[in-house]
Amino acid sequence: MRFDTAHNTLSPCFCKVLIGIFFLLAGLAVHIPGHAQASPPAAGNETPYAVLADLLENPQTRDQLIQELRTMAPQGDSKAQPQTGAHPPRADNASTQAGSQVEISGDAGKHISPTQRLALTLRHTTNDLSSAAAAVKSLAQGKLPFTATAPSHGDALRLLAATVLATLAAYLVFRLAAGAAFARLNRWIQTEQPREGGRRKPGLALSRKLIGVAAALAVDLAATLLATLAGYAAALFLAGQENSATGLAFQFLSAFAMIEAVKALSRGVFATRYEHLRLLPLQPATARYWNRWLTLLIGLTGYCLLAVVPITQAIMLPSLGRLLGLLIMLGVYIYGVRVVWSHRKSVKAGLTAWAEKSSTAVFGTLIRVLARLWHVIAIAYLTVLLVASQAEQQLALAFMMIATAQSVVAIIAGALLAAALSSLLARRIVVPESWSKALPLLETRINSYVPAALKGLRLLILILVALVVLDAWHAFDLGAWLGSDGGRAVIAVVLKVGVILAIAALSWTIIASLIEHRLGAGGLHRRPSEREKTLLMLFRNAAAVVIATMTVLVVLSQIGIDIGPLIAGAGVAGLAIGFGAQKLVQDVITGVFIQLENGMNQNDIVEVCGLFGTVEKITIRSVVIRTLDGGYHLIPFSSIDKVSNHTRDYGYHYGEYNVAHRENVDQAIAQMEMAFKDLMQDPELAPEVLEDISIPGVTALNEHGFRIRVLIKTTPGNQWAVQRGYNKLLKQRFDAAGIEVPYPHTVLHFGRDKDGYAAPVDVRAVDSLQELARPEAG
């Protein structure tokens, strides 16, 4: 029988385990006679009463029994009725029952910490080893370690052997019939899928594969269920009226159904013979190997814990059964750890390659994390299985199945929920068109919150999945925590913090959107003034600081931190900073009053601290001036004692022109007026002039000539453009009229006496050509 016949034959592990159980039961059934044929013990053999006496005679086992009985007393065992019948109670059985009441059984085990549970397990394992050593010693002395009721188990063992044979036969028949269904499902999945545009639909192919795998799993589980029912019917038929003999048979059938159901899941994942029924993208050799390994692991663990150990405890001392279970589980643990460690790199490479092909980022990330940690998780799983099997051998497999199923469901559900959130939030949030026109940056700001919200939701999902997984392994009681005051308080805090953050984000969105709308981003007909822009930007920065500070304080108060001392400390620190940073306080206060008095705004042309330039930026403590040469000057408000703003309401071209003394004043003024008329013909400069030219007249007489003042009222900030245009036109007019504009020159004047007589000047004219020719003649 081959290992790669996963869907239509019996696995060799299953056959070997069941055959071993069958021969063990047959030998025991032959060795132990029925109760009706029981005879008094031979002279050379001691009765179980003698074994009990030997156990009580040993001080170590006697003290252990007394300790366990005292442990049982607070739990109500002291009020139990005394046993009646032919057989006295067993010391080892009492110890086992006492230990079971304080181990992981039911919901009570969740209230025991993992450290206490491990300590209890080690203590009872030590006690069992001590009892088993005593039983082995008795066996070495020729005393058979059978229980006092061992003769009554002969019929039950024979019935169990027959039930095993009937179940095996029925399972073989049903598995052969299921093989045809597997082959048909494999061909159905392999059938050519409908095409769309020459390509196969991937979604339809995946759906068909999942349906086929689910159907194959249902058929496999149905074969297991039918074989179990056949064994149940055979047990009832063979038992007849003696229903008391069916206990072991029914226990085997329960184990058979549970273990084969788990193995069906493994066969559904790896599907060694049917490639299209294989859930994971594995090569046939790899699938056969892992299916063989998991089947062997599940079979050994399950049948030993649920069949071999209970039968041994029923017909022999329970301590021997627990010792046998410990030895088997140690072998399984060592074998499993060796296989996991030897294949850690190959499995990591395969999972990494699979993650690269994943189309979803969330699943790709999970697979990469699994590739790095899979061997650690597997070894931890085997370790928990070993410890749980020794804490409660008969309930260990059920505990591991439930915990594993809960963990897998929680992880898959969390991954699907995270993927759904990522897919949903990946779409851009679109606001109504009317909102976009009025608040063009609102949509961008709302979408900027999506990454942070997605990270927060993923963190909550991760925490929830971790709590569910810990609850599954009894490391954390999630139900009790949710019902406790502390759990409700934590949930309330999380909800309150979420609401606070949402309100803070909403407040900032509304304030920032309104400010941007007022600043002109919404297409207003009236553009805001520079003063409004400056004040709104300062208000926006202040609002951001206030909202952030209030949000942090409220969140800290909600999570239980007393913010009273924090606020008091901040006040003291502020006072100390105020004394130590008076210059900073002066900067802020001066800046506030300058803004309130509308001293200067952004883009104004000002003269501050001897610097003439444009206001490029205003903060709460400084102003930035950009001079004509491109210099970037940062000036604190406390350094400003005077602000000269040249862009308030209107401006003046203020000019004083010098004219030579010999020129006529009226003629010069007439030329100035004509130059102004030429200026008003300029389409670019004429709109910037607010009033007619004003010429007050001659304002000064000096050694160069006389000075005429000109005033032209302009729009704010355009006086320099008007000045340049007017100067050009005036120069053209003066040149055309022959009016001299004085300039620096030297006048040579010869002196005269009192009578007005001037001495003649000796002036000689030299012919340059004659002077040059004289040396040649000589």
Side-chain angles (χ1 to χ4, degrees):
M1 195 173 296
R2 295 174 55 84
F3 281 98
D4 57 351
T5 57
H7 272 96
N8 62 352
T9 58
L10 299 177
S11 65
C13 173
F14 171 75
C15 294
K16 291 178 182 178
V17 172
L18 291 186
I19 290 173
I21 294 175
F22 172 74
F23 282 112
L24 175 63
L25 297 179
L28 291 174
V30 171
H31 181 76
I32 300 177
H35 180 70
Q37 300 175 356
S39 60
N45 297 330
E46 295 188 27
T47 63
Y49 301 102
V51 175
L52 178 61
D54 292 337
L55 294 176
L56 294 176
E57 185 179 4
N58 188 344
Q60 181 180 2
T61 57
R62 183 176 64 251
D63 294 341
Q64 176 184 348
L65 175 59
I66 294 173
Q67 180 181 0
E68 296 296 339
L69 290 175
R70 287 176 177 174
T71 305
M72 297 168 59
Q75 301 179 7
D77 293 340
S78 59
K79 297 181 181 180
Q81 296 296 330
Q83 294 184 355
T84 59
H87 307 292
R90 292 174 290 156
D92 191 74
N93 191 27
S95 175
T96 303
Q97 292 175 357
S100 300
Q101 293 179 4
V102 293
E103 291 169 357
I104 51 171
S105 58
D107 296 334
K110 293 185 178 182
H111 300 286
I112 302 177
S113 65
T115 305
Q116 294 175 343
R117 188 179 295 110
L118 181 60
L120 289 173
T121 302
L122 293 176
R123 188 186 73 178
H124 291 296
T125 302
T126 304
N127 294 339
D128 291 335
L129 291 177
S130 177
S131 301
V136 171
K137 180 180 179 182
S138 301
L139 181 62
Q141 295 174 356
K143 304 171 184 179
L144 295 178
F146 290 113
T147 62
T149 58
S152 64
H153 289 303
D155 295 336
L157 292 175
R158 284 188 287 270
L159 179 61
L160 176 58
T163 303
V164 170
L165 287 178
T167 305
L168 279 173
Y171 190 60
L172 179 61
V173 172
F174 291 127
R175 291 287 300 166
L176 291 175
F182 296 147
R184 187 170 182 178
L185 288 172
N186 188 67
R187 290 192 301 270
W188 178 73
I189 297 176
Q190 192 178 3
T191 303
E192 187 70 16
Q193 304 294 330
R195 296 178 178 271
E196 181 178 320
R199 295 183 180 180
R200 179 178 298 181
K201 297 180 180 179
L204 185 58
L206 180 61
S207 300
R208 176 171 288 209
K209 182 179 181 64
L210 293 178
I211 293 173
V213 172
L217 179 61
V219 171
D220 205 345
L221 293 176
T224 302
L225 180 60
L226 292 176
T228 305
L229 293 177
Y232 180 76
L236 290 180
F237 177 76
L238 295 176
Q241 299 297 328
E242 297 184 7
N243 294 329
S244 60
T246 59
L248 296 179
F250 288 165
Q251 186 170 4
F252 163 76
L253 291 174
S254 301
F256 173 83
M258 183 182 301
I259 296 168
E260 293 305 317
V262 176
K263 291 166 67 176
L265 295 175
S266 174
R267 290 190 293 266
V269 172
F270 297 104
T272 56
R273 288 194 61 187
Y274 305 102
E275 180 179 0
H276 297 285
L277 291 177
R278 191 176 304 142
L279 188 60
L280 297 180
L282 300 175
Q283 296 296 327
T286 305
R288 284 194 297 270
Y289 177 82
W290 289 108
N291 180 70
R292 179 175 69 248
W293 181 73
L294 286 178
T295 302
L296 178 62
L297 192 67
I298 295 171
L300 284 175
T301 304
Y303 284 110
C304 289
L305 292 180
L306 299 181
V308 176
V309 171
I311 292 173
T312 305
Q313 291 178 339
I315 63 177
M316 297 182 180
L317 294 179
S319 58
L320 288 179
R322 295 181 64 87
L323 178 61
L324 179 61
L326 175 61
L327 295 177
I328 294 174
M329 290 306 302
L330 281 176
V332 171
Y333 178 77
I334 295 173
Y335 172 71
V337 170
R338 184 181 66 83
V339 171
V340 169
W341 189 256
S342 61
H343 291 83
R344 67 187 188 279
K345 294 183 179 179
S346 59
V347 174
K348 178 181 178 180
L351 290 175
T352 303
W354 188 21
E356 296 297 334
K357 300 177 182 179
S358 177
S359 58
T360 306
V362 175
F363 290 108
T365 303
L366 289 178
I367 295 174
R368 290 186 185 92
V369 173
L370 181 62
R372 293 176 177 270
L373 302 177
W374 82 271
H375 60 286
V376 178
I377 298 175
I379 294 176
Y381 186 87
L382 293 174
T383 305
V384 174
L385 176 61
L386 175 63
V387 175
S389 64
Q390 300 313 304
E392 188 64 50
Q393 289 182 347
Q394 298 185 13
L395 300 178
L397 190 59
F399 167 74
M400 294 298 295
M401 289 178 58
I402 295 174
T404 303
Q406 182 174 338
S407 301
V408 171
V409 170
I411 293 173
I412 293 177
L416 291 176
L417 184 57
L421 287 175
S422 301
S423 177
L424 180 63
L425 297 179
R427 303 174 183 177
R428 185 174 180 83
I429 300 175
V430 180
V431 299
E433 185 177 358
S434 58
W435 292 16
S436 298
K437 291 182 179 179
L439 306 171
L441 298 180
L442 177 61
E443 182 175 326
T444 303
R445 180 169 289 107
I446 293 176
N447 284 278
S448 65
Y449 299 146
V450 171
L454 184 59
K455 290 180 181 179
L457 292 176
R458 284 179 178 175
L459 179 61
L460 290 178
I461 293 173
L462 179 61
I463 294 174
L464 182 60
V465 170
L467 292 178
V468 174
V469 171
L470 292 177
D471 178 74
W473 298 98
H474 291 184
F476 179 78
D477 193 352
L478 182 59
W481 181 77
L482 292 176
S484 64
D485 295 336
R488 289 193 294 267
V490 171
I491 295 176
V493 168
V494 171
L495 293 177
K496 290 179 180 178
V497 169
V499 172
I500 292 169
L501 295 178
I503 293 175
L506 180 62
S507 302
W508 169 245
T509 301
I510 293 175
I511 293 175
S513 300
L514 291 176
I515 291 175
E516 292 166 357
H517 177 71
R518 189 67 186 86
L519 286 175
L524 294 175
H525 297 289
R526 185 182 67 85
R527 296 181 59 83
S529 63
E530 295 300 330
R531 178 172 179 268
E532 289 177 329
K533 291 181 180 179
T534 304
L535 292 177
L536 287 175
M537 294 303 296
L538 291 176
F539 177 72
R540 177 182 175 179
N541 296 335
V545 173
V546 171
I547 292 176
T549 304
M550 294 299 297
T551 301
V552 171
L553 292 178
V554 175
V555 168
L556 290 177
S557 66
Q558 290 299 321
I559 62 178
I561 298 177
D562 187 8
I563 63 174
L566 184 62
I567 296 176
V572 174
L575 184 61
I577 293 174
F579 282 111
Q582 297 182 14
K583 198 70 172 178
L584 177 62
V585 176
Q586 184 180 359
D587 291 339
V588 174
I589 295 176
T590 305
V592 169
F593 279 101
I594 288 177
Q595 291 305 310
L596 291 177
E597 295 174 1
N598 197 18
M600 57 180 167
N601 296 313
Q602 194 172 359
N603 297 325
D604 284 356
I605 300 175
V606 298
E607 185 177 358
V608 175
C609 297
L611 296 174
F612 183 86
T614 304
V615 178
E616 189 167 291
K617 181 181 179 181
I618 296 179
T619 64
I620 198 168
R621 63 165 297 272
S622 63
V623 60
V624 175
I625 302 296
R626 180 78 68 175
T627 55
L628 295 178
D629 59 355
Y632 183 91
H633 304 274
L634 180 65
I635 304 174
F637 282 122
S638 59
S639 301
I640 300 175
D641 55 358
K642 182 180 68 173
V643 177
S644 300
N645 197 323
H646 298 277
T647 52
R648 279 292 176 269
D649 300 331
Y650 56 88
Y652 270 104
H653 162 48
Y654 172 82
E656 291 189 346
Y657 300 93
N658 290 326
V659 182
H661 285 292
R662 68 182 183 182
E663 303 298 339
N664 186 278
V665 175
D666 295 334
Q667 185 181 3
I669 293 176
Q671 294 298 325
M672 289 180 178
E673 293 176 348
M674 294 178 65
F676 178 76
K677 293 179 180 179
D678 295 339
L679 178 67
M680 296 305 294
Q681 301 299 322
D682 190 337
E684 294 182 359
L685 297 177
E688 308 301 334
V689 178
L690 299 179
E691 295 180 0
D692 196 4
I693 187 171
S694 174
I695 304 177
V698 178
T699 59
L701 292 172
N702 51 44
E703 65 275 13
H704 301 295
F706 58 90
R707 184 180 300 169
I708 301 176
R709 179 176 297 172
V710 173
L711 295 174
I712 302 177
K713 190 174 184 180
T714 66
T715 55
N718 292 300
Q719 55 266 41
W720 296 281
V722 173
Q723 176 185 1
R724 291 188 294 270
Y726 182 76
N727 288 341
K728 174 184 176 182
L729 296 174
L730 183 60
K731 180 65 171 60
Q732 293 174 355
R733 283 289 179 179
F734 277 2
D735 291 343
I739 298 176
E740 179 185 358
V741 175
Y743 57 90
H745 58 279
T746 301
V747 178
L748 183 60
H749 178 74
F750 298 99
R752 298 177 182 179
D753 57 11
K754 294 182 178 180
D755 297 333
Y757 175 76
V761 180
D762 186 10
V763 178
R764 298 180 183 182
V766 179
D767 188 353
S768 60
L769 294 179
Q770 294 178 358
E771 291 293 332
L772 291 174
R774 285 179 182 179
E776 295 179 0

